[in-house]
Amino acid sequence: MLFRSMQRLRMAVQATLERGTPYEIELTAVRGDGGLVRCLARGRCETDRDGKVCRLYGSVQEVPE
């Protein structure tokens, strides 16, 4: 799947990496057959003892109509 709103996803991930804030955003994706589908992207980070981000976890799920 290719995300039409990839810039929004990149910005959300960047904010999580910089500030440690989780995200949950709706995106539009293009399926292989050219159809559009709504998706929900969620992400959060894990920090080390010093508060520095060391891992990023995320998922994307199709939202039924």
Side-chain angles (χ1 to χ4, degrees), residues 17 45-55:
L17 291 172
C45 69
E46 183 178 304
T47 56
D48 62 16
R49 281 187 246 165
D50 299 323
K52 185 176 176 181
V53 174
C54 60
R55 283 201 174 101

Side-chain angles (χ1 to χ4, degrees), residues 2-61:
L2 176 66
F3 292 103
R4 293 179 63 198
S5 40
M6 193 63 173
Q7 184 62 25
R8 287 185 58 226
L9 180 58
R10 283 190 185 117
M11 289 171 56
V13 169
Q14 188 63 36
T16 299
L17 291 172
E18 290 174 2
R19 296 187 289 276
T21 55
Y23 65 88
E24 181 173 325
I25 57 174
E26 275 198 28
L27 304 170
T28 303
V30 182
R31 292 190 310 240
D33 65 2
L36 299 179
V37 63
R38 285 184 22 217
C39 296
L40 181 63
R42 293 182 178 120
R44 65 179 182 85
C45 69
E46 183 178 304
T47 56
D48 62 16
R49 281 187 246 165
D50 299 323
K52 185 176 176 181
V53 174
C54 60
R55 283 201 174 101
L56 181 67
Y57 299 93
S59 65
V60 176
Q61 181 177 13

